[in-house]
Amino acid sequence: MLDDTSRQIKILIIDDEKAVADVLKDFLSNFLSNNKEMLIDACYDGLAGIECIQKNFYDLIIVDLVMPRVGGLEILRYAKKSNPHVLVIIITGHASLETAVVAIKEGAYDYIRKPCKLEEIRIVVENAIDKIKLYRENRQLIKKLEDAYNELMVYKEKRDDDKKNP
């Protein structure tokens, strides 16, 4: 089994406004630059985003809500079907209570209104990365517990056999 804690955290940014996607990618690359465990991709429409999700495993997706052809909610649904543990942050200039509720019910990690402050993005992304790391550590600890339990059961069976056949 792959040690999840050593695997890169992969982030995908999807926004049909190329300038927004590039600014987010550059900003996240700069503030995460001391962390070599991060890989950040960007694409500029929903269909390209779906193709990226089909070809790669992402831990975190930042997606614009309103885009031509394929919007953020469709990407959220597709991403969650592909990887139920992916965290998806919806960003939008068309915020409404209705879309926020739908996004959160569909499994979005967060919902941010545009124009968003880069500091707000930084905090949300840092929290998401912490959650990803905790999830990975939890899975690794559960695996270690299962292995230890299995070893204990093998030892117990051997001991029981030794008692039956002295």
Side-chain angles (χ1 to χ4, degrees):
M1 180 179 162
L2 179 67
D3 178 3
D4 276 354
T5 58
S6 67
R7 188 171 50 79
Q8 284 184 317
I9 292 179
K10 294 183 74 177
I11 301 171
L12 176 62
I13 299 166
I14 309 168
D15 198 312
D16 61 324
E17 293 180 56
K18 186 178 185 315
V20 171
D22 289 344
V23 165
L24 285 175
K25 182 177 180 181
D26 290 344
F27 174 73
L28 293 177
S29 296
N30 287 335
F31 104 76
L32 297 171
S33 64
N34 61 347
N35 194 338
K36 305 294 182 221
E37 301 168 359
M38 304 293 162
L39 179 71
I40 304 171
D41 293 331
C43 51
Y44 310 111
D45 71 57
L47 284 179
I50 296 237
E51 288 174 14
C52 283
I53 294 167
Q54 288 172 342
K55 294 176 185 173
N56 301 290
F57 178 91
Y58 290 99
D59 301 289
L60 175 62
I61 298 172
I62 302 169
V63 61
D64 188 14
L65 179 67
V66 178
M67 294 182 290
R69 301 192 297 177
V70 179
L73 288 177
E74 290 88 357
I75 290 171
L76 168 65
R77 290 179 192 115
Y78 184 82
K80 285 293 192 178
K81 281 182 187 172
S82 298
N83 171 14
H85 301 291
V86 67
L87 300 182
V88 179
I89 299 168
I90 303 280
I91 56 174
T92 183
H94 305 278
S96 72
L97 181 59
E98 181 182 328
T99 57
V101 168
V102 169
I104 298 302
K105 281 184 178 180
E106 297 271 347
Y109 175 72
D110 210 331
Y111 183 94
I112 300 172
R113 293 175 49 148
K114 285 183 185 176
C116 42
K117 296 181 175 102
L118 291 177
E119 182 64 14
E120 180 181 12
I121 294 286
R122 184 190 64 76
I123 291 168
V124 171
V125 169
E126 280 181 339
N127 289 340
I129 289 170
D130 287 345
K131 184 173 181 173
I132 291 163
K133 287 180 178 179
L134 285 171
Y135 172 76
R136 288 179 178 183
E137 288 175 21
N138 186 38
R139 281 188 38 205
Q140 189 176 38
L141 289 171
I142 288 170
K143 174 80 170 93
K144 285 181 180 179
L145 280 172
E146 288 171 346
D147 291 346
Y149 176 79
N150 290 335
E151 282 182 41
L152 201 59
M153 290 295 99
V154 167
Y155 174 76
K156 181 184 178 298
E157 287 175 18
K158 184 180 181 313
R159 194 187 74 194
D160 290 347
D161 285 346
D162 289 347
K163 284 183 180 179
K164 289 179 187 175
N165 303 318

